Amino acid sequence: MSNTSAAHAMESPWAGGVAPFATTWQKLMMWIFIITDGLLFGGLLVGYGVIRVVSPAWPDQTTVFDMNYITAMTFTLITSSATMASAVAAATAGLKSRATLFLWLTIAGGFIFLGMQAYEWTHIIHEGARLTSNPWGVPQFGSSFFIITGFHGMHVFTGVTILTIVAIRTAMGKYSPEGVELAGLYWHFVDLVWVFVFALFYLI
Amino acid sequence: MSTGTHAYRTYVIIWGILLLLTVIMISIGESSLPNPVQATLLLAGSLTKATLILLYFMHLRYERSGLIVIVIAGIAVTGLLMFALPAFDGTQIFKQLTAR
C-alpha cells in the first residue's frame, strides 16, 4: 500500500487507529452503558410483547388509565429533554448561569414526572392492582405495568439525582461541558425509553 | 456539535415535532383502525421519535459512523431479534391456548 492510500485508509472512520470512535473514553463508556441499559428495557418490553401475543384478551387501557394524564406525563418528559439539550448547548458555549437555569428546569420536569407517576401508581393500587392480580382480568397486566413503569421510574429518579449534582457543580463553577453532556445523554435515554413504553404499553 | 441560537432553534423545532407526533400517535391509538395497522403505525411513530431524540438531542448525527452503527446494531437489531424469536413461540402458544 502506498503512503497516500495508507494515510487515506487511516482517515476512514473504519480504520481504527488510536481513537476509532473519535470521542473521549467517558462518552464512549456512556454510550456503551446506554446500549446495555437499552437492552435491559428491550428485554422487558419484548417479554411484555410475548405476554400480549400469548394472552387471549388484554384490558382496554383507556378504561384503566386516564389517557389525558398519561399524555401530560409524556409532554413533561419530552419538554425536560428539550431543556436538557439546551443546558448542554449553553454549557458548551461557556454560559454557566444559562446552563444552570436549564438544568434546574430539567430537574423540575423530572420531579413533576415522578410525582405524576407516584399518583398514578397510588390510584392503580387503590383500584386493586397488584403484581400478581388486578381487577381487569389478565394477571400479567399488573406485573407488566409495575415492573416496566417501575424500572423506568427508578431511572428517572437516578437521572434527577445525577442532574442535581451536576446543576450544583455547574452553579459553583466546578463543571465541564462534557460532564453536562454525559448527564444529558443519560436523561435523553430515559426519555427515549418512555417513547416506547408509552406506545407499547399505553397505546397498543 | 452546534451551539448558540441555531442550536436552541433546532431544539425548539424538534420539541414541537415530538409533541405533534405524540398527539398523532394518541389519535391513532384511539382510532378504530384494525389492530395490526394500528400497531404498525404506532411502532413507526415511536421509531421516528426515537430517531429524532438520538440524532438531535443526543447529538448522534455529529458522531462518527462507527459509533452510530454500534448504537443502532446494539439496540435496534438486537431488540428486533429478541422479539422475533420468542414471538414465533408465542403465536404457537396462543393457538394452543385458544384451541382448548
Side-chain angles (χ1 to χ4, degrees), chain A residues 13 20-22 27 31 39 43 46 53-54 71 75 78-79 85-86 90 92 98 181 185 188 191-192 195 199 204, chain B residues 1 3 8 11 15 19 22 25-26 42 46 50 53 57-58 60 63-67 70-71 74 82 93-94 97:
Chain A
F21 296 106
K27 201 200 250 186
W31 272 113
L39 291 177
V46 164
V53 171
V54 170
T71 306
F75 277 15
I78 291 172
T79 305
S86 304
T92 309
R98 187 181 288 188
E181 191 187 359
L185 280 177
H188 297 309
D191 183 28
L192 190 75
V195 165
I204 292 181
Chain B
M1 185 194 314
T3 54
Y8 297 122
Y11 298 145
W15 173 69
L19 294 188
T22 305
M25 284 170 67
I26 291 163
L42 288 171
S46 301
I53 293 168
F57 285 172
M58 297 173 90
L60 200 57
E63 303 292 349
R64 267 198 172 183
S65 49
L67 187 60
I70 65 161
V71 171
M82 278 199 297
I93 296 167
F94 178 76
L97 284 173

Side-chain angles (χ1 to χ4, degrees), chain A residues 27-122:
Chain A
K27 201 200 250 186
L28 184 61
M29 288 300 107
M30 179 53 87
W31 272 113
I32 290 172
F33 167 73
I34 285 172
I35 292 168
T36 55
D37 214 21
L39 291 177
L40 168 80
F41 279 103
L44 287 174
L45 289 172
V46 164
Y48 159 74
V50 173
I51 289 170
R52 284 292 299 268
V53 171
V54 170
S55 301
W58 194 258
D60 177 12
Q61 293 97 324
T62 54
T63 60
V64 180
F65 304 110
D66 179 352
M67 288 313 291
N68 291 330
Y69 190 78
I70 306 298
T71 306
M73 284 172 72
T74 307
F75 277 15
T76 305
L77 210 55
I78 291 172
T79 305
S80 76
S81 216
T83 55
M84 185 68 236
S86 304
V88 174
T92 309
L95 305 169
K96 189 183 84 174
S97 51
R98 187 181 288 188
T100 310
L101 172 70
F102 278 125
L103 278 168
W104 285 120
L105 287 173
T106 308
I107 293 163
F111 271 122
I112 292 169
F113 180 88
L114 280 175
M116 291 179 86
Q117 194 171 44
Y119 180 80
E120 186 201 13
W121 269 49
T122 311

